[in-house]
Amino acid sequence: MMDVAENLEQIKFNIGQACEKSNRNPDEITLIGVTKYVTIERTEETINAGIKNLGENRLEGFLEKFNHFGNKVNWHFIGTLQTRKVKDVIHNIDALHSLDRISLAKEVDKRAESNVDCFVQVNVSGEESKHGLEPDKVIPFIEEVAKYEKINIVGLMTMAPHIEDKNHLRNVFGKLADLKDTIQQKKLPHAPCEYLSMGMSNDYEIAIEEGATHIRLGSHLVGS
Ligand SMILES: *Cc1c(COP(=O)(O)O)cnc(C)c1O
């Protein structure tokens, strides 16, 4: 396995190129290292390489890593979160990237001690295997969530399908970006919606060109 530091160097170069192509500043991009496949040792190597944001998609993985590293880094919960597990993560994360239903919003609101930054997960591609709201359900959902005062909608998140077709990927990311802009323009107090969490190891350059502000990299950065 390559050193995380070496992987990071290559990824930073690629981020730079994608930003140059799309006239963006690399400082706008938050790189989240997804440690779900790897050990504590490899996670430590990731932190030592300079990664300040880590993502986990399962409660058990999150707790294992959080109990070890605590607040040395910012934590992002990126996977489906069961309602009964909300109380075990909500106090210790910087952002929840997978808000996808009212029952979850209600439970987060009930359990949290202060406001929680959330991304609404959108199933742009319409694949049945993917979690998230259908695009045309997103705005009504965000309007309904206004009554849960601790929910702060900071942006939208999607997972693109596992395909090589770059035009199709670009289309998926572009649609999420358009939806984000529409919501942002509404200037809802509980939904500034300024961020886009999109782009993984296979597609982050395209995601950046389409406006991603948070990319989530597991296999190519940390390992799998
Ligand atoms: C696993 C995972 C990632 C990282 O995937 P890679 O392809 O390994 O970079 C990103 N986002 C979510 C939601 C994931 O579950």
Side-chain angles (χ1 to χ4, degrees):
M1 212 172 357
M2 297 259 289
D3 290 349
V4 177
E6 286 175 80
N7 293 339
L8 182 58
E9 202 174 321
Q10 180 65 50
I11 287 164
K12 278 187 173 162
F13 178 80
N14 295 343
I15 292 172
Q17 291 219 310
C19 283
E20 209 162 288
K21 264 194 189 172
S22 50
N23 264 314
R24 300 188 60 201
N25 182 342
D27 293 345
E28 295 169 18
I29 319 279
T30 299
L31 172 53
I32 300 170
V34 177
T35 49
K36 67 185 186 194
Y37 308 112
V38 303
T39 59
I40 291 285
E41 290 70 31
R42 188 74 171 172
T43 303
E44 179 148 42
E45 189 190 330
T46 306
I47 296 171
N48 289 340
I51 300 291
K52 297 182 178 63
N53 292 276
L54 295 183
E56 282 284 337
N57 69 333
R58 299 186 62 235
L59 176 68
E60 295 70 25
F62 168 73
L63 290 178
E64 185 201 1
K65 308 281 178 14
F66 180 79
N67 289 337
H68 196 90
F69 299 104
N71 293 316
K72 263 176 98 170
V73 288
N74 303 320
W75 295 97
H76 298 258
F77 199 86
I78 61 173
T80 304
L81 182 58
Q82 287 175 278
T83 308
R84 66 189 164 84
K85 295 181 176 173
V86 164
K87 62 181 184 311
D88 301 317
V89 304
I90 208 65
H91 309 293
N92 297 318
I93 57 174
D94 244 55
L96 174 65
H97 289 243
S98 51
L99 184 63
D100 62 354
R101 55 194 194 279
I102 291 295
S103 58
L104 182 59
K106 189 176 173 186
E107 181 69 8
V108 169
D109 186 61
K110 180 176 155 192
R111 298 286 183 175
E113 282 153 4
S114 53
N115 287 2
V116 180
D117 287 349
C118 299
F119 291 80
V120 175
Q121 185 169 352
V122 185
N123 183 356
V124 181
S125 57
E127 281 179 289
E128 273 179 34
S129 60
K130 294 271 188 290
H131 291 274
L133 290 158
E134 288 168 35
D136 60 3
K137 305 244 163 79
V138 172
I139 290 174
F141 175 80
I142 288 177
E143 286 169 348
E144 190 176 349
V145 155
K147 65 175 178 262
Y148 301 113
E149 289 178 3
K150 294 193 195 109
I151 304 283
N152 185 34
I153 307 289
V154 295
L156 303 180
M157 178 276 215
T158 200
M159 286 175 84
H162 245 288
I163 53 165
E164 294 299 323
D165 181 347
K166 292 198 169 162
N167 286 329
H168 187 76
L169 290 170
R170 201 175 285 290
N171 191 263
V172 166
F173 295 138
K175 277 188 180 157
L176 195 72
D178 288 346
L179 186 55
K180 187 270 287 177
D181 289 343
T182 303
I183 297 161
Q184 194 174 17
Q185 280 157 17
K186 289 180 179 289
K187 300 193 186 303
L188 302 169
H190 75 292
C193 204
E194 56 185 321
Y195 300 132
L196 283 169
S197 172
M198 58 187 197
M200 309 184 2
S201 290
N202 289 316
D203 54 25
Y204 67 94
E205 288 122 311
I206 300 172
I208 288 170
E209 287 174 37
E210 295 301 317
T213 60
H214 293 64
I215 58 173
R216 312 177 307 267
L217 301 189
S219 48
H220 286 200
L221 173 63
V222 179
S224 57

